[in-house]
Amino acid sequence: MADNKLLANAIRMLAAEGVEKAKSGHPGAPMGMAELGVALWREEMRHNPINPTWFNRDRFVLSNGHASMFQYALLHLTGYNLSIEELKNFRQLHAKTPGHPEYGYAPGIETTTGPLGQGIANAVGMALAEKLLAEEFNRDGYDIVDHHTYAIVGDGCLMEGISHEVCSLAGTLGLGKLIVFYDDNNISIDGEVHDWYSENVAKRFDAYNWHVVEAIDGHDVDAIRNAIHQAKSIHNRPSLIICKTTIGKGSPNKAGKEESHGAPLGASEIELVKKELGWTYASFEIPPEVYAGFDCKSKGMNAENSWNQLFTEYQSRHPQLAAEFVRRMEHKLPDDWSSIVKVAVKAANDKQETIASRKASQNAIEFYAEHLPEFFGGSADLTGSNLTRWSKATTLTEANRYSGNYISYGVREFGMAAIMNGIFLHGGYRVFGGTFLMFSEYARNALRMASLMKIAPIFVFTHDSIGLGEDGPTHQPVEQIATLRMIPNMIVWRPCDTVETMVAWADAIGRNKSPSSLIFSRQNLKFIERSQAQIDNIARGGYILVDGGKNPDYAIIATGSEVELALNVATKLTSDGLKVRVISMPSTSVFDLQDESYRDEVLGGAKKMIAIEAGVSDSWYKYVGKDGVIIGIDTFGESAPAAKLFDHFGFSVDKIIARLK
């Protein structure tokens, strides 16, 4: 059996040689964290390389994702289906080993990391999901949900503001099964960090209500193992284990220096590393005793088989709970979901309510929550404004930490969005959370990561335009809708009334591989009467509200609060003897996915195209063409009552008619 030194050196050499072959990457952190990999992946972490998605596995998140060769090396060495050829293809096109770990590429990658700080935020979400599911499904003697979440962070993760947001919340929530390792090597790309990062991390996390294991030798496997055992014994607080390490350990000339952080060591230095470590093997050669020492397949299968036996007994004693658990972990909707949606949409249409779409959104949540016990909602301190809470929701409180389905995230928009990603990745919940549309700016990178990972949290954004009024331009979103639509794979809805809102929510709930941004108004929006065919076409993202006949003089496209305005403009133009088509397009994202014939049917044939939306105008040219007219806002807003603002910025029937003439 190989000793720990040889096992750690195998990680170092795979990292150094993988980066060298790619001529790109970060060898230093993997070389410095090698002993941590041995202690955690080989000994303490419960995982099954043969079945990487086994539910009750421990989750591992490499928040400092630039150190990706650390994770790839461990996946390969412990027995996952990640060949040595994939490690040789590090950072190459279509390899399973991209520059930063990406969810859905290599087996065993729980989340995409790279933007520093988001990995630890995802880990907080995973740990919260574990606690919530355990409270909901575990029964005496049958702890079917019982696993830890491990994460590694570096200085960069802790400098990013999101780490403050999520670690503060994790301490408040007392997430005892969250164990984080701080790779404390004092080096970033610019050099030794003490000139710009001198805070006492231990005291910071102690203030967050974390259990802190202060500076241990990060190159001592026994010390790391003991620290993990200590952390596991603390059940009411998350743990931070501070590991003092040397970046690039094993490199005679670059260890402890920024030169080893973000660039290959160089061929000559690689040879010196081999001599320093006593590594006598060829490039990418791993001796059999190392594979034998790292092999976790038998241990992993035994752990999974034990859990399977426990779950079989659980199914026998609690069949309904077991069936519900399986359904939710497989991200399956109830069998009668399509019927549920039809009833919901019909009810909204029958009520004919003129209300704010944020209130229509709350009505949708209220209805669908009755049929979706996996709903988990929240808001970044704006519950009363976002209207994301429903009547039967149970909010997590200090006295009721885990038996609930709604959370107040506090003023933490970025942290909320990244935690939501982690909850979805863990499984068991359809998660949504709200804030003002303006503050999507704070959450932007987490929204992008959800889209990139092809996961489906639901982001609720209210107060969608200058219609919020007196709060002024700091709170009036003019560019946010357009920029959300620009994110690949992000589904954006801006419904115009209660019926479109109900359809938008159903669409978002029904997705598993695309996140959704649902955008709602503060002000009341008039109910619009439709035929059944028009109602059915809402789900296609865009549809004709007023036909206008063949080859109309004008075709007007509008979204959200501007649909009523478009209808009023059409009425005026029609009274002047013109033919006008009105198109409601609540989701350009979904409309663009429709077949060409349908899109042509909706958009084609008009002599002049017009788009009306209270936001920046550029994105509408793809629909109206260079000769079209766009009624938009290409400046920031003003502070005034909403009605005066709409008139001031040209959103009135008379001003639009004058513009057309």
Side-chain angles (χ1 to χ4, degrees):
M1 179 68 71
D3 64 15
N4 288 334
K5 181 178 178 181
L6 182 62
L7 299 180
N9 286 342
I11 298 172
R12 291 191 172 95
M13 290 311 305
L14 285 174
E17 290 176 340
V19 171
E20 188 65 33
K21 188 174 187 300
K23 302 301 179 188
S24 173
H26 299 73
M31 295 173 74
M33 299 189 301
E35 283 80 10
L36 172 54
V38 174
L40 181 60
W41 280 68
R42 175 177 177 256
E43 300 181 18
E44 296 299 326
M45 194 167 76
R46 181 171 51 187
H47 59 120
N48 183 8
I50 296 173
N51 182 14
T53 59
W54 162 50
F55 167 71
N56 207 40
R57 67 193 182 279
D58 291 337
R59 272 48 169 190
F60 173 80
V61 176
L62 185 68
S63 190
N64 50 341
H66 57 269
S68 56
M69 276 302 298
F70 171 82
Q71 190 165 8
Y72 298 147
L74 284 162
L75 288 168
H76 171 72
L77 292 170
T78 56
Y80 287 77
N81 184 22
L82 190 68
S83 69
I84 197 71
E85 293 303 315
E86 289 290 351
L87 272 65
K88 292 179 182 179
N89 286 332
F90 178 54
R91 290 192 166 217
Q92 303 310 300
L93 185 63
H94 303 314
K96 294 181 180 179
T97 50
H100 295 81
E102 292 192 34
Y103 178 69
Y105 279 59
I109 302 295
E110 302 284 2
T111 182
T112 299
T113 56
L116 294 177
Q118 285 207 62
I120 177 60
N122 296 163
V124 171
M126 293 174 188
L128 176 58
E130 192 274 343
K131 282 283 195 182
L132 294 166
L133 285 170
E135 182 72 22
E136 184 174 356
F137 285 99
N138 288 355
R139 294 295 183 268
D140 290 344
Y142 295 97
D143 289 345
I144 62 167
V145 183
D146 182 16
H147 51 267
H148 286 81
T149 301
Y150 297 100
I152 300 179
V153 300
D155 292 305
C157 293
L158 297 186
M159 286 186 233
E160 290 286 358
I162 190 174
S163 71
H164 165 75
E165 295 183 28
V166 301
C167 293
S168 167
L169 184 58
T172 299
L173 294 172
L175 299 177
K177 288 185 177 177
L178 174 63
I179 300 175
V180 179
F181 303 90
Y182 168 30
D183 179 31
D184 184 11
N185 60 38
N186 295 313
I187 294 292
S188 70
I189 289 176
D190 278 357
E192 296 183 13
V193 300
H194 55 74
D195 286 335
W196 55 86
Y197 187 61
S198 59
E199 68 190 47
N200 187 317
V201 172
K203 288 184 178 179
R204 169 184 165 185
F205 276 78
D206 181 66
Y208 288 155
N209 193 39
W210 284 53
H211 163 69
V212 180
V213 182
E214 293 206 47
I216 65 169
D217 182 354
H219 303 301
D220 183 335
V221 172
D222 291 335
I224 297 168
R225 184 192 307 112
N226 291 337
I228 295 172
H229 290 171
Q230 185 180 343
K232 285 182 175 179
S233 71
I234 305 298
H235 300 137
N236 61 347
R237 287 183 291 164
S239 292
L240 180 74
I241 300 173
I242 301 175
C243 300
K244 297 295 292 183
T245 63
T246 300
I247 193 170
K249 183 173 176 60
S251 173
N253 296 310
K254 298 185 178 182
K257 299 178 181 179
E258 63 268 24
E259 286 86 350
S260 69
H261 184 288
L265 298 178
S268 60
E269 187 69 13
I270 294 283
E271 291 305 313
L272 294 176
V273 171
K274 287 185 175 183
K275 291 180 181 179
E276 178 77 11
L277 301 179
W279 189 263
T280 59
Y281 308 99
S283 180
F284 291 101
E285 180 186 356
I286 301 297
E289 61 266 32
V290 169
Y291 282 122
F294 266 117
D295 185 15
C296 292
K297 287 181 284 191
S298 295
K299 184 170 67 172
M301 279 303 300
N302 289 338
E304 181 176 354
N305 288 338
S306 295
W307 184 84
N308 287 338
Q309 182 177 349
L310 179 71
F311 190 70
T312 298
E313 296 176 12
Y314 179 85
Q315 286 177 305
S316 176
R317 295 195 174 222
H318 307 285
Q320 290 182 322
L321 276 175
E324 176 67 10
F325 180 79
V326 170
R327 179 186 73 81
R328 286 167 56 172
M329 292 311 301
E330 292 178 350
H331 282 295
K332 290 183 177 179
L333 288 165
D335 291 338
D336 58 346
W337 176 246
S338 60
S339 299
I340 291 168
V341 173
K342 287 179 181 178
V343 171
V345 174
K346 184 178 185 303
N349 190 58
D350 290 345
K351 284 185 179 179
Q352 300 190 8
E353 291 179 294
T354 292
I355 54 178
S357 57
R358 60 172 174 161
K359 177 59 180 174
S361 168
Q362 186 180 45
N363 291 346
I365 294 169
E366 186 78 35
F367 186 95
Y368 291 130
E370 284 290 325
H371 306 276
L372 297 171
E374 62 264 44
F375 248 17
F376 186 80
S379 179
D381 200 49
L382 291 167
T383 293
S385 295
N386 298 148
L387 303 184
T388 43
R389 195 180 187 279
W390 63 105
S391 62
K392 294 183 181 179
T394 302
T395 302
L396 305 185
T397 64
E398 185 175 5
N400 180 34
R401 278 285 178 242
Y402 312 119
S403 58
N405 51 12
Y406 191 88
I407 180 172
S408 294
Y409 288 96
V411 187
R412 300 180 175 101
E413 295 88 358
F414 191 7
M416 174 183 72
I419 287 171
M420 287 166 57
N421 289 347
I423 292 172
F424 187 92
L425 287 161
H426 178 277
Y429 293 99
R430 291 188 182 269
V431 61
F432 63 91
T435 185
F436 288 172
L437 176 58
M438 187 64 247
F439 304 139
S440 65
E441 295 294 317
Y442 285 152
R444 177 79 49 178
N445 205 259
L447 306 184
R448 182 178 186 273
M449 294 302 288
S451 295
L452 192 155
M453 287 190 278
K454 298 182 177 65
I455 59 175
I458 301 170
F459 304 105
V460 178
F461 297 120
T462 68
H463 297 61
D464 67 343
S465 72
I466 56 171
L468 67 87
E470 293 86 346
D471 274 340
T474 59
H475 284 56
Q476 291 168 7
V478 292
E479 73 273 33
Q480 282 65 36
I481 299 174
T483 56
L484 287 171
R485 289 174 180 147
M486 290 171 63
I487 301 174
N489 194 43
M490 174 66 74
I491 303 298
V492 181
W493 285 85
R494 187 182 183 230
C496 74
D497 71 350
T498 56
V499 177
E500 286 191 356
T501 297
M502 197 66 78
V503 174
W505 264 103
D507 181 88
I509 293 166
R511 293 183 181 274
N512 283 328
K513 294 188 176 181
S514 295
S516 298
S517 291
L518 306 183
I519 299 172
F520 302 116
S521 72
R522 178 197 184 199
Q523 73 274 26
N524 285 351
L525 304 183
K526 183 180 178 180
F527 171 79
I528 295 172
E529 293 188 12
R530 302 171 181 82
S531 68
Q532 186 58 51
Q534 289 172 324
I535 292 173
D536 293 342
N537 280 336
I538 294 172
R540 305 185 79 168
Y543 62 102
I544 297 172
L545 265 178
V546 176
D547 192 322
K550 187 176 182 181
N551 298 324
D553 296 291
Y554 293 104
I556 306 175
I557 309 170
T559 76
S561 53
E562 287 72 74
V563 171
E564 180 184 352
L565 177 59
L567 290 170
N568 292 338
V569 170
T571 299
K572 174 63 174 171
L573 291 173
T574 301
S575 71
D576 292 339
L578 298 168
K579 295 190 296 182
V580 184
R581 178 187 304 160
V582 177
I583 301 160
S584 178
M585 195 175 288
S587 178
T588 61
S589 317
V590 175
F591 181 76
D592 288 348
L593 296 174
Q594 304 307 305
D595 59 81
E596 185 177 3
S597 62
Y598 178 76
R599 287 183 279 122
D600 286 344
E601 176 189 338
V602 172
L603 297 176
K607 297 173 184 176
K608 194 77 169 179
M609 298 291 295
I610 306 166
I612 307 176
E613 185 173 62
V616 293
S617 59
D618 285 0
S619 63
W620 287 104
Y621 281 105
K622 70 176 180 177
Y623 300 112
V624 305
K626 65 178 182 178
D627 296 323
V629 176
I630 301 173
I631 310 298
I633 301 176
D634 291 311
T635 66
F636 292 110
E638 297 284 349
S639 181
K644 290 186 177 182
L645 286 173
F646 277 110
D647 182 70
H648 171 75
F649 284 104
F651 290 85
S652 70
V653 172
D654 290 342
K655 289 186 176 180
I656 292 174
I657 297 294
R659 172 86 177 272
L660 296 179
K661 289 181 178 179

